[in-house]
Every structure is written in structure tokens, then in C-alpha cells.
């Protein structure tokens, strides 16, 4: 299969999640895309972090991450854990001139307007849980395409167990993409490739 990207999940290569060690491992292994979870400290500083940040010292500042990534050809998959990060995150993206280097995941349908308001020209996938049964229905396929049109997302980001070749074809035939997560086992990777996604997080 050609023309798809692999996103190295934060913590890949047996490194701590959301750490500079994890980023350096990704760079060393020449990955195309690296995923980080995005949170905010109480003082407004945007940082890497999966769980809620409750102090002004936890989490690696995203400015440090951006500064390092600017020295590479890696793209960043920014998994948005709370929409309050969007405005200050966009300022950082503009400051480091990284609009073409980042894209968002973790965006739910009810959060789309916040993304449009705060990050108007940043690509994002829509988190969605497609039905592996309903997907064979023309009406359901049309519903998915209408959802893409309404939200402005570049595609769907879903757990690999909900992906299918029919979903992939439906999206691709209408100019949208499929991203799947988190594919860690060999048999899962084989199945994921059969579904022809545009991005695999592993």
C-alpha cells in the first residue's frame, strides 16, 4: 500500500508518554508524524499531557517541542485534550510558523465550532465511532459525508476496530481521509492496512 503515514504514538519506542525522550526517539527513528497530547497549565502555558494538568510545573512546554520539531521534517499530530488550549495553541503555531506542520485529532463534533473560531486554518480529523454494520447502508454512508461537510474536518479519526474498507472507500471517494488508532499488534497492523487508511497511529 502506498501513500499513507505512520504516526508514532507518544510513548512509542518504550519511552515515557509526552516526554522529550519520546520525541527524540521518534526523530532518531525518522518517523513521518509524531503524536502529542495537548493540555494547559493553570497559568495558561500549553504543554504536553494526557491527564488534567493541575500545577504550573507539570508537563513539557509545547514551545520546547515546536522549537525541536522545527529542526526536522516531522509533522505533529496534536491530540487536543481540552478546547481551552486552542487559542494559546494557535498563537504558538503562528509564532513558530507551523500551520503546515501540524494537524489536530481528538476533536469531537460538539467541539468543531471552537476549532473554527480559534484555529481557522488548521486541518483536523473528527473523532468518530462509525458502525461496522450500518456502514454498508447508502443512507449511513451519506450521513457520514454530510457530517464531514458540516464539520469541515479533513476526515475521520477512529479506533482501528471500527474501521472498514467500505468506510475508507466512502471517505476517499468523496475527498476525505481515514486515520486509525492505536494499532500496536502485528495482526492489527495487517488488518489496518487492508482497510487502506491514510494514517495509522501506532
Amino acid at each position: 500500500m502506498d501513500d499513507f503515514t505512520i504516526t508514532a504514538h507518544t510513548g512509542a519506542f518504550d519511552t515515557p508518554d509526552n516526554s522529550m525522550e519520546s520525541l527524540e526517539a521518534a526523530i532518531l527513528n525518522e518517523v513521518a508524524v509524531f503524536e502529542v497530547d495537548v493540555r494547559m497549565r493553570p497559568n495558561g502555558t500549553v504543554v504536553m499531557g494526557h491527564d488534567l494538568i493541575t500545577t504550573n510545573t507539570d508537563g513539557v512546554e509545547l514551545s520546547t517541542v515546536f522549537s525541536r520539531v522545527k529542526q526536522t521534517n516531522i509533522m505533529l499530530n496534536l491530540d487536543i485534550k481540552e478546547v481551552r488550549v486552542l487559542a494559546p495553541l494557535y498563537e504558538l503555531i503562528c509564532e513558530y510558523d507551523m500551520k503546515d506542520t501540524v494537524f489536530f485529532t481528538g476533536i469531537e463534533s460538539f467541539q468543531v465550532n471552537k476549532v473554527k473560531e480559534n484555529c481557522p486554518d488548521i486541518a483536523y480529523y473528527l473523532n468518530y465511532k462509525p458502525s461496522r454494520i450500518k456502514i454498508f447502508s447508502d443512507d449511513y454512508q451519506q450521513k457520514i459525508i454530510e457530517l464531514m461537510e458540516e464539520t469541515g474536518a479533513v476526515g475521520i479519526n477512529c479506533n482501528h476496530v471500527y474501521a472498514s474498507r467500505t468506510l475508507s472507500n466512502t471517505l476517499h471517494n468523496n475527498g476525505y481521509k481515514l486515520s486509525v488508532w492505536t494499532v500496536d499488534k502485528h495482526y492489527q497492523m495487517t488488518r489496518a492496512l487492508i482497510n487502506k487508511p491514510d494514517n495509522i497511529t501506532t
Side-chain angles (χ1 to χ4, degrees):
M1 176 180 160
D2 299 322
D3 196 27
F4 74 100
T5 55
I6 295 289
T7 290
H9 193 281
T10 182
F13 311 109
D14 297 319
T15 57
D17 288 354
N18 295 300
S19 65
M20 289 303 292
E21 182 183 349
S22 187
L23 173 59
E24 292 297 340
I27 294 170
L28 181 64
N29 285 276
E30 300 181 339
V31 303
V33 189
F34 179 65
E35 184 225 36
V36 297
D37 299 318
V38 184
R39 287 278 188 181
M40 192 165 69
R41 292 174 179 165
N43 65 6
T45 302
V46 183
V47 297
M48 289 196 288
H50 183 276
D51 300 326
L52 185 66
I53 302 294
T54 58
T55 75
N56 290 325
T57 57
D58 288 339
V60 176
E61 293 187 17
L62 211 61
S63 58
T64 303
V65 176
F66 282 6
S67 180
R68 181 67 179 99
V69 169
K70 285 289 287 185
Q71 304 169 38
T72 74
N73 294 319
I74 289 178
M75 290 194 68
L76 285 178
N77 174 344
L78 302 178
D79 191 345
I80 307 300
K81 295 302 182 184
E82 51 189 342
V83 292
R84 66 182 183 138
V85 307
L86 292 173
L89 173 58
Y90 188 68
E91 291 182 6
L92 270 180
I93 292 171
C94 293
E95 178 184 344
Y96 284 86
D97 190 24
M98 295 185 69
K99 289 183 181 179
D100 297 326
T101 310
V102 304
F103 63 90
F104 296 164
T105 54
I107 304 299
E108 305 288 344
S109 296
F110 66 90
Q111 298 171 323
V112 164
N113 286 339
K114 289 291 185 181
V115 178
K116 292 179 178 179
E117 291 168 9
N118 293 283
C119 306
D121 43 8
I122 304 300
Y124 58 93
Y125 283 88
L126 186 71
N127 268 24
Y128 192 69
K129 183 179 175 181
S131 169
R132 288 183 54 84
I133 297 174
K134 293 180 181 179
I135 191 60
F136 295 106
S137 159
D138 290 342
D139 288 344
Y140 188 75
Q141 293 174 21
Q142 184 59 35
K143 175 186 173 183
I144 287 178
I145 298 308
E146 289 174 356
L147 180 64
M148 294 292 96
E149 294 172 350
E150 291 168 5
T151 60
V154 298
I156 283 177
N157 182 47
C158 68
N159 188 297
H160 67 93
V161 301
Y162 300 111
S164 67
R165 187 64 174 272
T166 304
L167 173 64
S168 178
N169 289 341
T170 299
L171 292 169
H172 291 159
N173 290 342
N174 289 275
Y176 297 104
K177 298 180 179 181
L178 173 63
S179 176
V180 296
W181 52 271
T182 295
V183 185
D184 290 336
K185 306 292 185 182
H186 184 270
Y187 75 89
Q188 294 173 339
M189 184 66 73
T190 301
R191 175 180 171 182
L193 289 171
I194 291 173
N195 292 329
K196 289 191 175 296
D198 300 277
N199 178 71
I200 298 174
T201 298
T202 181

